[in-house]
Structures are given as structure tokens and as C-alpha cells.
Amino acid sequence: MAQYLMSVLHDSPDLATDEEMAAIDVFNDKLQSEGYWVFAGGLSTPDLATVVDNRAGESIVTDGPYLESKEHVIGFWIVDAPDLDVVLRLAAEGSRACNRRVEVRAFLPA
Amino acid sequence: MSDVRPVIARVYREEWARVVATLARRFGDLDVAEEMAAEAFATAVERWPVEGIPPNPGAWVTTTGYRKGIDRLRRETRREGKHVEALMLSQAPEPPGAVDDDRLRLVFICCHPALGMEARVALTLRMVGGLTVPEIARAFLVEDAAMARRITRAKAKIKAAGIPFRVPAREDLPARISGVLAVVYLIFNEGYLASGTQSDPIRSDLTAEAVRLTRLLHLLLPEDGEVAGLLALMLLGEARRTARVSARGELVTLAEQDRGTWDRVLLAEGHALVRARLASGEAPGRYQVLAAISAVHTDTLDARDTDWSQVAALYDQLVRLDPSPVVRLNRAIALAELDGPEVALAELDDLPLDGYHAFHATRADLLRRLGRSQESRAAYDRAIDLAANSAETAYLTRRRDQLGR
């Protein structure tokens, strides 16, 4: 079993519709009942983000996202699954449920 | 022994895919499988002239590769040999898949949808086809180092993303087979009408490799209609290979080819496959319909006897399966033979194919037949600009230059 991040990609200020929220709930239930669920959540929009840079020892705090981009991650699932084929099927369901594109990335082995 | 080298070359040709596939399954790692297979063949080159050819050469190479792989793992993990073997054997038994063959498993891995198309083609040619990196690089007009990087990256993706070493689940099979066929068809097309103005217009090593791969797929998936259809399509294309380019390096159209030079054996095999698919009663997919069209064209010794109404009917069927502009273009060409060039030209009007040389070449030919020479010339010019194959360019240039003022 390995862990994967499924990120939901979004490019407008609109939030999820009621239908989308309902479909996401159904999908989340399935992930939990079938044992894939590790964690999931929606994110507040990038304009409400804060960037912290303490690389040089002078902790700099900036209002806004680190990357000025129309497209951003609006939510994500972390799942535990045996292989990519399983995750791609889950991602397909997730993409349909939230009506957005989903990026799949494997976590590096611990 | 001086006659060992050709034997080894033959064994390599016949056994490479099986050796790599077996090692890939046992080690769960394509890099290890490829390197150990290569080392095992190198050892064969050293030892067989001295010790003689083993009774089962493929098994010898596989066993040698496996032992080398274990040794390497032992060195890398610095564990006792037994622990490493236990590690190998402890892999959970695979749930019964649709087909159980290591080579098929390898093909599915190399053609996984998570890999880009270029990566799939390169990996399949290397791991299943056994072509060397320089050979593949040359086929696709890239530098050796760039092709090596493409293959390395593909293997890294397989490892990092966790692409499983398994035949796909039953529900994924149709889409995955479709993906494999797309890879193999791309290899065939690259050989059939190779890109590059400087290179050979036909790369017979690629078409032969594509046919070989599809034959393997047909062997492993005998019930699949689209696999049989693609094989038939390729065989009927291969049958015409020597007739397709003139001695001067110009493309020879179907209408002008010397049909006496077509390979009768390949034609017979292709036609038999098409008939078998027809007899199966199953609804045909894209490749089967394309093969049927090819079968109608190759059924007559004289181009003038071509059953164009059957070709057009098949294109109608194809358009329903695949309404893409290119299919509609090819259908229009058939319509021209039945209903005249004016009707066909009208069919082309809305097609979004301005960047496709064959679109302009078709328009040029239809306009020529309608006596609209100036428009025809302009269309030939555009087609020549866009054509990427030396034989086609030569043919189009000649047709344009033959136009009256």
C-alpha cells in the first residue's frame, strides 16, 4: 500500500455548487467505507494565503499566495491504495464528483 | 565456434521480450530487468562459443539474468542471499487476471496511460521490441541521449507513481487494450510514412516491428476483434510496401501501384483475418472497419475494378464510430469516385484541417479534376509546405508541376 495525494484543480473564484458538494460527500463516504481514506479537506482561496520565508533567518511574512496563477489547488484527498491503477479509478470518481480536474501524485516512500 | 553469433542474434530476437518480462515480474523493476537481460545476453556471447548452445536458450538467458539480479540486490542491500530470495518470493500472489502471460503484462505496463505517448512508444520498443536506444532514437529523429533520458524518465515514473506489474483489472481492459493498440499503430504509421525530409520515406524496420508486436498481441488476446483488425490493417499495408515508393523516391498512390508486386502471402493473411472478423458477427471497431476498407482496395488486380460503393459504405460505418475530420476527409475521397469531385469538394468545406497536408492534397486533386487549375496549384503549394515525408513531397511537387497554366 502507498499513499497518494489527489489535488483538486480550480481556476475561478466560484465555490462548489450544492450538487457538487453532495456528490463529494458521497465520494468521501465511499473512500472511508472502502478503506482508502487517509485525510481530505477543502482549502481557503489563495488570495487568503500567507507565505512565510525563514530561509535566511529573518522570518519574512507576506500576504497572498506564493505563486500568482489563475489555476490553484482548492482541496485535496490523501488516500492509501495498493497501486496507481486503483488511485486513477478513485481520481476519476473524485473528478466527476467535484466537477474539476484532479492531479495525482504519489508520496515518496518514508 | 564461428556460427554462434547468428544463433544468438536469433535467440535475442525471439526471446528478449520474454526474458525481460519474466525478470520484470520477478524483480518488480524494469531497470533491473532490462540490465540483467542485457548482461545475460552478453554472457551468452562469451560462453556459448565455448560451451555450445544450451538446449533451451531462452531459459538459460532468463536463469542467468535472474541470478545476476539476485547478486546485484544482495550487493545493494547487503543482506543474506536467503533474505533477498524470500523477499522475492513473498510478493502476494496475483489475483487471477484476464490473461496470464508475462509479455502481455510487460506490454500493458509500457503502454500505461499515465505515461506520455512518446514515452510509451519508446519504452515498448526498448522493453518488448528489444530495439537498442540508438535504433529507437534514429527512428524518431532525436539524439541518442535524449531518447535514453525519455526511457529513463518513463521507468522512473513507473516506479514513483506505483504503476503496478499486473495485467489490468477486467473493467479497465478495453481502455487499456485500446491504449496499447494506439501505441503500436503509431509505431507502424511512423514506419509506413516516416517523418523527416532527409530520412527514408518508409522505415521497414519500424513497420516490421509493429507487425511483430501486433502478432504477439493477437496470440495473447485471440478473442479481441480490434487486435485482429489492427493486425489485418497492418498486414494489408505491409503487403503493398515495395509498390508504395518509386525507384526515384516518389510516393506511388494506390491507383498507380504495380499490384503484381504486392505480397500475396500477407494479403491472404490480412483478408483471412478480415473475413474471420466479419464471420464473428460482432460489431466491428475502428481498426476492423479500416481493415475491411483496405481489404476491398486490395481485392482487385486492377484499380479500376475497385468496389467504391462498398468503400463508401464502410466509410459511412467508420464515420459513425469515429466522426473525426480525417475520417470524413477519407470518406470524401471515396465519395468523389461515386458522386464526382464537386460533391466531394463540398464535403471538405467545413473540415478543420487547415494544418493537414493530406487535406490540401485532396482539395488540389479534386480541383484539378474540375479544371480549376489555379486553385489546384495553390492547394498543392499548401500541401507541399505542410508535407513532412520526402516521398510525398516529391509526388505532390510533380502533380503540381503537371498542372496546365
Side-chain angles (χ1 to χ4, degrees):
Chain A
M1 300 288 275
Q3 295 193 332
Y4 293 80
L5 175 70
M6 303 195 304
S7 308
V8 180
L9 308 176
H10 187 55
D11 60 1
S12 79
D14 314 328
L15 298 174
T17 65
D18 288 338
E19 288 85 11
E20 287 163 3
M21 288 303 321
I24 292 167
D25 281 342
V26 170
F27 179 61
N28 288 343
D29 287 341
K30 176 210 161 100
L31 287 178
Q32 285 171 336
S33 65
E34 294 187 11
Y36 297 117
W37 174 281
V38 177
F39 186 74
L43 296 169
S44 58
T45 50
D47 56 311
L48 302 175
T50 318
V51 176
V52 177
D53 182 355
N54 195 22
R55 290 176 290 179
E58 193 198 307
S59 185
I60 302 169
V61 175
T62 318
D63 176 30
Y66 81 100
L67 184 67
E68 289 294 342
S69 159
K70 218 174 165 244
E71 198 165 47
H72 55 269
V73 175
I74 195 64
F76 64 89
W77 291 277
I78 298 178
V79 293
D80 200 18
D83 59 57
L84 185 69
D85 284 358
V86 175
V87 181
L88 290 180
R89 258 180 266 132
L90 294 175
E93 288 182 48
S95 170
R96 186 129 183 82
C98 64
N99 192 29
R100 279 162 184 71
R101 291 155 65 219
V102 168
E103 180 197 74
V104 172
R105 287 167 66 175
F107 278 87
L108 293 172
Chain B
M1 264 181 256
S2 59
D3 53 0
V4 168
R5 286 225 141 213
V7 175
I8 295 180
R10 186 177 49 79
V11 171
Y12 179 89
R13 204 82 186 106
E14 290 170 10
E15 301 290 337
W16 170 264
R18 210 182 266 114
V19 172
V20 169
T22 306
L23 295 176
R25 170 174 51 81
R26 298 185 83 176
F27 291 112
D29 186 314
L30 288 183
D31 250 331
V32 171
E34 184 193 346
E35 282 181 37
M36 296 306 109
E39 279 187 29
F41 273 103
T43 306
V45 168
E46 284 169 20
R47 303 247 297 259
W48 294 1
V50 174
E51 298 169 11
I53 316 261
N56 189 336
W60 188 98
V61 176
T62 307
T63 307
T64 305
Y66 182 66
R67 288 209 196 105
K68 285 178 187 290
I70 294 288
D71 283 346
R72 183 167 121 159
L73 279 173
R74 212 174 273 152
R75 281 196 306 274
E76 280 177 4
T77 62
R78 276 181 248 115
R79 283 188 199 164
E80 279 292 283
K82 282 206 171 71
H83 290 182
V84 173
E85 286 229 30
L87 204 75
M88 296 290 100
L89 296 169
S90 73
Q91 284 170 0
E94 200 178 298
V99 184
D100 195 20
D101 183 286
D102 286 338
R103 288 171 303 176
L104 190 58
R105 193 175 294 118
L106 182 64
V107 168
F108 278 119
I109 293 163
C110 294
C111 296
H112 197 280
L115 299 170
M117 201 53 178
E118 285 183 345
R120 289 187 235 172
V121 168
L123 202 57
T124 302
L125 285 173
R126 177 75 197 115
M127 306 300 285
V128 188
L131 269 63
T132 63
V133 173
E135 283 171 345
I136 305 169
R138 210 166 34 242
F140 292 92
L141 307 176
V142 302
E143 296 291 319
D144 287 4
M147 184 55 74
R149 273 195 305 273
R150 190 180 291 178
I151 292 174
T152 302
R153 210 195 138 263
K155 287 191 225 157
K157 170 86 189 256
I158 289 170
K159 209 177 272 186
I163 289 175
F165 279 74
R166 262 213 308 282
V167 171
R170 207 159 285 257
E171 71 239 55
D172 295 335
L173 257 183
R176 294 288 298 274
I177 291 175
S178 196
V180 170
L181 295 181
V183 172
V184 179
Y185 194 34
L186 200 146
I187 296 170
F188 182 81
N189 280 320
E190 185 52 35
Y192 197 68
L193 207 58
S195 3
T197 48
Q198 306 305 320
S199 64
D200 283 334
I202 293 182
R203 302 292 313 277
S204 59
D205 47 347
L206 281 180
T207 54
E209 190 55 38
V211 169
R212 206 171 73 104
L213 289 170
T214 313
R215 278 195 199 285
L216 176 63
L217 288 171
H218 182 54
L219 186 74
L220 300 172
L221 296 166
E223 303 303 316
D224 193 288
E226 281 294 80
V227 173
L230 182 59
L231 180 58
L233 181 61
M234 286 181 182
L235 292 172
L236 295 174
E238 271 293 77
R240 312 196 297 270
R241 180 156 55 81
T242 50
R244 289 183 56 241
V245 180
S246 75
R248 283 190 319 239
E250 198 185 292
L251 190 75
V252 182
T253 61
L254 195 54
E256 296 170 335
Q257 285 173 20
D258 179 0
R259 300 194 170 201
T261 65
W262 288 355
D263 185 317
R264 286 218 169 81
V265 173
L266 291 177
L267 283 183
E269 203 189 333
H271 285 138
L273 282 165
V274 170
R275 274 196 303 274
R277 287 318 309 162
L278 215 68
S280 77
E282 285 165 28
R286 261 184 73 228
Y287 293 119
Q288 288 161 90
V289 179
L290 282 168
I293 292 168
S294 199
V296 173
H297 277 297
T298 53
D299 211 22
T300 64
L301 279 174
D302 190 326
R304 289 168 299 186
D305 294 334
T306 305
D307 186 346
W308 285 106
S309 60
Q310 215 193 339
V311 172
L314 285 166
Y315 268 113
D316 285 339
Q317 203 178 359
L318 187 61
V319 164
R320 281 195 295 276
L321 288 170
D322 176 10
S324 69
V326 174
V327 172
R328 281 161 41 213
L329 170 68
N330 292 326
R331 178 174 165 274
I333 296 170
L335 278 184
E337 301 305 315
L338 288 177
D339 300 333
E342 192 86 56
V343 172
L345 205 55
E347 287 286 321
L348 297 183
D349 271 339
D350 299 312
L351 296 180
L353 290 174
D354 194 50
Y356 185 39
H357 73 279
F359 173 71
H360 298 285
T362 306
R363 289 195 75 249
D365 186 63
L366 294 170
L367 289 162
R368 182 186 56 80
R369 282 149 75 171
L370 289 168
R372 289 153 67 173
S373 301
Q374 254 192 306
E375 291 169 271
S376 176
R377 177 179 299 273
Y380 273 123
D381 281 338
R382 188 101 179 90
I384 290 163
D385 257 343
L386 292 167
N389 172 276
S390 57
E392 268 191 324
T393 307
Y395 166 76
L396 292 168
T397 307
R398 178 170 62 82
R399 295 293 267 180
R400 180 197 61 188
D401 295 345
Q402 278 171 350
L403 287 170
R405 270 261 140 240

